[in-house]
């Protein structure tokens, strides 16, 4: 039988509980979602770190949140950085799997691909508050029929979003602009085939551009780059670029 949205919510009920616990610690939806997506991606085979989170004491949840955030932050570093993750490692060890911090540093493309796949797919439903309200109402008998949103067929294909939602606005320091190929290559080397194209400000007379736009293949990459921040800085070679979510200019009616 075809899987329905309701089935996905049941399948990831532990992830939802973990999200609610992490959200209470972070106070930031984006960071909590990214952390859960990371733990879901780790939750393969005998590893089951995420199943411990719902029953943890608040202090321990805060440590998991901090460690997950450290992993996500290190994904942005130019040089491989080793996140400190003693508690997440210990939770993984309960499934007889030893996770080295260096794994996250040297397999960034694998981590990003796995986390982004969840954020763009099942995560869209797991983190949807309205769907969970409907689910609770249907379970408690407050609704005579199942809501169509819960009975809709589920597809594992990423939900398509417009380019604007998958874009980041980038700015350079004066005289320190990068070539579009350098930006493209930076993300390709670190995170794999995730960029569609890079657009740069058009300048006359050989002047260097001051800003540009990166269009990624999925919206999740934008969320992972920012990880809850409004503005982030990354170093490419000896130069720095600033990235924020792209907001299109309003068009005059």
């Amino acid at each position: 039988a075809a899987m329905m949205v309701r089935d996905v919510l049941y399948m990831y009920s532990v992830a939802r509980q973990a999200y609610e616990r992490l959200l209470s610690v972070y106070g930031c939806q984006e960071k909590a979602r990214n952390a859960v997506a990371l733990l879901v991606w780790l939750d393969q085979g005998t590893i089951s770190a995420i199943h411990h989170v719902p029953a943890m004491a608040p202090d321990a949840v805060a440590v998991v949140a901090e460690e997950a955030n450290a992993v996500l932050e290190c994904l942005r570093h130019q040089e491989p950085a080793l996140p400190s993750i003693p508690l997440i490692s210990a939770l993984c060890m309960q499934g007889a799997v030893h996770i080295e911090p260096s794994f996250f540093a040297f397999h960034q493309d694998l981590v990003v691909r796995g986390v982004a796949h969840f954020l763009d797919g099942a995560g869209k439903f797991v983190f949807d508050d309205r769907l969970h309200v409907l689910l609770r109402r249907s379970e408690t008998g407050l609704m005579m029929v199942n809501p169509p949103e819960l009975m809709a067929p589920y597809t594992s294909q990423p939900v398509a979003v417009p380019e604007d939602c998958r874009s980041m606005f980038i700015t350079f320091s004066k005289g320190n602009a990068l070539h579009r190929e350098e930006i493209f290559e930076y993300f390709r080397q670190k995170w794999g085939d995730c960029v569609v194209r890079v657009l740069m400000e058009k300048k006359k007379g050989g002047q260097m551009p001051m800003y540009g736009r990166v269009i990624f293949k999925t919206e999740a990459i934008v969320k992972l780059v920012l990880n809850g921040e409004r503005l982030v800085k990354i170093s490419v070679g000896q130069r720095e670029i600033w990235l924020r979510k792209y907001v299109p200019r309003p068009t005059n009616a």
Side-chain angles (χ1 to χ4, degrees):
M3 186 175 279
M4 293 177 290
V5 168
R6 184 183 62 183
D7 302 324
V8 174
L9 299 184
Y10 283 136
M11 185 187 300
Y12 288 103
S13 60
V14 171
R16 176 68 192 190
Q17 291 168 35
Y19 168 64
E20 289 171 358
R21 293 298 311 277
L22 287 164
L23 186 58
S24 69
V25 170
Y26 277 127
C28 169
Q29 287 186 339
E30 213 69 79
K31 283 189 174 180
R33 289 171 180 179
N34 289 347
V36 168
L38 176 71
L39 293 172
V40 167
W41 176 74
L42 269 178
D43 189 18
Q44 300 174 49
T46 55
I47 303 177
S48 196
I50 197 169
H51 285 75
H52 299 284
V53 176
M56 278 181 166
D59 287 355
V61 174
V63 174
V64 170
E66 194 177 307
E67 292 185 7
N69 199 50
V71 172
L72 296 164
E73 291 292 327
C74 91
L75 296 176
R76 283 203 302 261
H77 293 180
Q78 187 174 5
E79 299 299 324
L82 301 185
S84 176
I85 51 165
L87 182 53
I88 288 178
S89 293
L91 295 177
C92 291
M93 277 296 286
Q94 293 192 18
V97 176
H98 184 55
I99 293 284
E100 290 279 357
S102 58
F103 174 82
F104 296 106
F106 295 105
H107 298 283
Q108 292 184 351
D109 56 334
L110 271 181
V111 179
V112 168
R113 200 179 315 139
V115 172
H117 180 75
F118 179 76
L119 289 173
D120 282 321
K124 295 267 188 186
F125 304 95
V126 174
F127 302 134
D128 189 318
D129 295 341
R130 184 171 171 275
L131 285 177
H132 285 274
V133 169
L134 291 173
L135 184 66
R136 281 195 293 273
R137 283 182 181 170
S138 68
E139 287 174 335
T140 52
L142 292 173
M143 308 177 89
M144 296 301 290
V145 294
N146 278 312
E149 294 96 327
L150 298 180
M151 306 309 289
Y154 167 74
T155 170
S156 59
Q157 292 301 312
V159 180
V161 297
E163 269 193 0
D164 287 352
C165 299
R166 297 182 271 117
S167 296
M168 300 197 76
F169 185 73
I170 53 175
T171 52
F172 312 106
S173 303
K174 193 168 184 179
N176 275 325
L178 283 85
H179 294 290
R180 75 180 71 210
E181 292 78 15
E182 292 177 287
I183 298 168
F184 197 96
E185 193 61 20
Y186 172 84
F187 283 106
R188 193 192 68 77
Q189 281 193 351
K190 285 174 66 65
W191 291 9
D193 184 20
C194 63
V195 176
V196 177
R197 62 183 179 279
V198 179
L199 308 173
M200 304 290 263
E201 178 193 19
K202 289 182 171 64
K203 285 282 198 177
K204 293 178 182 176
Q207 285 184 298
M208 300 285 277
M210 292 293 291
Y211 61 86
R213 178 181 171 191
V214 184
I215 301 160
F216 292 101
K217 291 195 169 179
T218 74
E219 188 181 13
I221 300 294
V222 175
K223 293 175 178 174
L224 288 173
V225 172
L226 291 172
N227 194 32
E229 303 295 332
R230 192 186 70 81
L231 185 71
V232 297
K233 177 180 70 174
I234 61 173
S235 298
V236 181
Q238 300 300 311
R239 289 163 294 178
E240 294 172 344
I241 61 174
W242 293 87
L243 301 98
R244 60 178 167 83
K245 189 164 173 52
Y246 175 74
V247 180
R249 289 178 181 171
T251 53
N252 295 325

